[in-house]
Amino acid sequence: MADLAIEVAELKKTYRTPFRRKKVEALRGVSFSVAKNQIFGFVGPNGAGKTTTIRTLMGLIRPTSGTAKLLGHAIPSRLARTRIGFLPEAPYFYDYLTVGELLDLAGRLFGLDATTRKQRADRLIERVGLDRARAQSLKKFSKGMLQRAGLAQALMNDPDLVVLDEPMSGLDPSGRKEVRDLILELRDQGKTVFFSTHILSDVEAITDRVAIVARGVLVGEGTPAELVNRHILGIDVVVRVPREADAELTAAPAGITRIRRLGDELGCTLPADTDVEAWLARAHDQGAKVVQVVPRHETLEDLFLRRTSDPAPGEPPAVAS
Ligand SMILES: Nc1ncnc2c1ncn2[C@@H]1O[C@H](COP(=O)(O)OP(=O)(O)OP(=O)(O)O)[C@@H](O)[C@H]1O
Ligand SMILES: [Mg+2]
């Protein structure tokens, strides 16, 4: 379909390590699609298959089976590649270049003329905050600076689709915010951004959709809100009540957690299926005033840990509804 930037169907990749004759099933049937002009987050623990998926999409490795399309073209597609910007995981650059030379080289590979190369390089160097490091060779760059140089390099061809493998890696919180802002800006310009990360707060903050991958299969997919709002962990209640009432109020229901006293306030988390009205009536009988009642939704991090932490050895985990 024309409105899809990425279509991946039943992608499998088994690495064969010839010497130990061991097989690694890095991807065991991954399917997802990314609509154009969206920010799509691809998250999963170490070894989940994120880089394998991305390297397959970029035509750097061949899948064992399955198909994928980028911008409507089956991979590997040279045509699509000219419309795609790519930041590899832990990018390696020739040390003795400056960032300007790196970008000029990238521009040449895409066949850009000298004027366009200069204009884009200047704008991108400024945009990623490397202006003051223009004279330095990349050899002297910190990890964060190299990551910025890599991002600028990925944007030299003014791509429609930007594929970033761990763009926030090695960056401090303010550097991560800058990358998040850049990604949002790219979407505002009409581009599609697909990125992998471990940092769930970054995903929660900026993505339109998320896929969670673990052990080579997807274990969740949806908007961040869909993924986290499905599951209520409990109901946080805070009441203002004399300390003497604590024992009575926390005796039931079973499964009450996070009991805490803050001055004249008692807080606790009731199980999700509690009859909250009944509990509050009991509190009222003890002279309580309600301060707050808030359902506690699972965070993306809770969900991530829950879905990626139950490995039945050898068994692909079930795709949750
Ligand atoms: N060239 C290779 N040869 C053999 N096995 C490999 C190769 N590349 C990756 N693997 C294995 O495939 C699995 C998936 O690796 P991959 O790099 O795709 O994970 P990832 O999700 O990107 O992890 P990380 O978060 O650490 O970057 C891992 O078990 C890894 O050890
Ligand atoms: Mg990786």
Side-chain angles (χ1 to χ4, degrees), residues 13 15-17 22 24-27 42 44-55 61 89 165-166 196-198 213 216:
K13 175 67 185 180
Y15 291 108
R16 285 162 211 283
T17 45
K22 223 183 83 187
V24 181
E25 290 187 295
L27 299 177
F42 198 47
N46 290 130
K50 302 181 296 296
T51 297
T52 300
T53 304
I54 289 174
R55 288 175 62 83
I61 52 176
E89 184 175 45
D165 198 355
E166 312 259 2
S196 73
T197 185
H198 294 106
V213 60

Side-chain angles (χ1 to χ4, degrees), residues 234-306:
I235 299 144
D236 281 333
V237 290
V238 178
V239 291
R240 189 166 301 130
V241 69
R243 209 171 272 271
E244 295 72 56
D246 286 10
E248 155 66 18
L249 288 178
T250 58
I256 194 166
T257 55
R258 303 196 340 134
I259 297 162
R260 66 243 176 234
R261 237 309 141 187
L262 296 152
D264 57 354
E265 292 179 1
L266 167 69
C268 57
T269 301
L270 306 172
D273 60 354
T274 305
D275 181 345
V276 184
E277 299 292 340
W279 190 89
L280 289 174
R282 266 170 55 214
H284 190 253
D285 290 345
Q286 301 286 321
K289 292 255 183 299
V290 178
V291 177
Q292 73 169 30
V293 179
V294 184
R296 197 151 72 85
H297 289 288
E298 189 173 53
T299 64
L300 196 54
E301 182 156 3
D302 294 326
L303 175 102
F304 178 86
L305 292 171
R306 187 161 61 81

Side-chain angles (χ1 to χ4, degrees), residues 119-139:
Q119 277 171 357
R120 283 197 191 159
D122 285 349
R123 189 172 49 77
L124 286 167
I125 289 168
E126 171 101 51
R127 181 62 193 83
V128 300
L130 287 175
D131 227 9
R132 284 188 305 170
R134 287 190 81 123
Q136 281 177 44
S137 67
L138 297 174
K139 192 167 60 143

